[in-house]
Amino acid sequence: QDGVIFNKDKTELLWYPCGKPGASYKVPVNVIKLEEHSFMKVDALTSVTLPDGLKRIEDYVFYQCPNLTTLVLPSSLEFIGDTSISVLKVSSMVIPEDITELRSYFLSYCPELTSVVLPSTLTKIWWESFSNDPKLKTVTCKAANPPSINASGNVFWHTPIDSATLRVPTGTKALYQAAEGWKDFGTIEAITP
């Protein structure tokens, strides 16, 4: 459809041509999965609109879309794969509820990223999820228990969290101040309503 390849019933988007012109694209409403590498290295795109019923973003989907500034993740999402939203130009990102893990290189190498909101359902953050994000200033984590970060995971590698603010649920500040990876934030404060 318009050069974009889908499976037979159009529930899976398989491939978006790298050289396709046009700065914006709206994924059709019946798509529930974006297949691996489907939008990888598309330079022209600045905005992609995702449908409300989308459930899965597989590995490397939006990897190296260097001009992509607008990408809103729908609340229906259940899974986001490795390196699938890294090397983008987004300035902020809200991760939907029901996402339990942030996979490797999740939002890494995003030069304009300043703020991220993480869901209450989050339990684990993998390798270099937020590495090389030089402008990251605010991380809001709604999880009552600090999501696990492996000490050798380099989750915030080359990201200046010592001058950033971590916002956490009321009554959980001490837990985050003691937690691996989280304790290194310059400021930890309670989320205010």
Side-chain angles (χ1 to χ4, degrees), residues 60-97:
Y60 292 93
V61 169
F62 294 104
Y63 176 55
Q64 287 190 0
C65 288
N67 298 303
L68 189 59
T69 56
T70 305
L71 183 71
V72 177
L73 303 178
S75 59
S76 55
L77 267 182
E78 296 170 356
F79 176 82
I80 304 170
D82 288 349
T83 322
S84 56
I85 51 174
S86 64
V87 198
L88 307 179
K89 233 183 216 169
V90 293
S91 59
S92 63
M93 187 67 70
V94 177
I95 312 307
E97 294 291 326

Side-chain angles (χ1 to χ4, degrees), residues 71 73 80 85 90-96 99 102 106-110 112-120 122 125 129-131 133-143 155-156 159 161 164-168 182 185 191:
L71 183 71
L73 303 178
I80 304 170
I85 51 174
V90 293
S91 59
S92 63
M93 187 67 70
V94 177
I95 312 307
I99 296 292
L102 302 186
F106 185 74
L107 260 173
S108 61
Y109 295 86
C110 293
E112 301 302 323
L113 185 70
T114 59
S115 69
V116 177
V117 178
L118 305 176
S120 64
L122 192 64
I125 301 182
S129 283
F130 295 99
S131 64
D133 292 335
K135 293 185 180 177
L136 188 61
K137 288 280 175 255
T138 309
V139 175
T140 301
C141 187
K142 297 178 180 177
V155 165
F156 296 103
T159 295
I161 60 169
T165 298
L166 173 64
R167 301 171 67 240
V168 298
W182 300 106
F185 272 83
I191 297 170

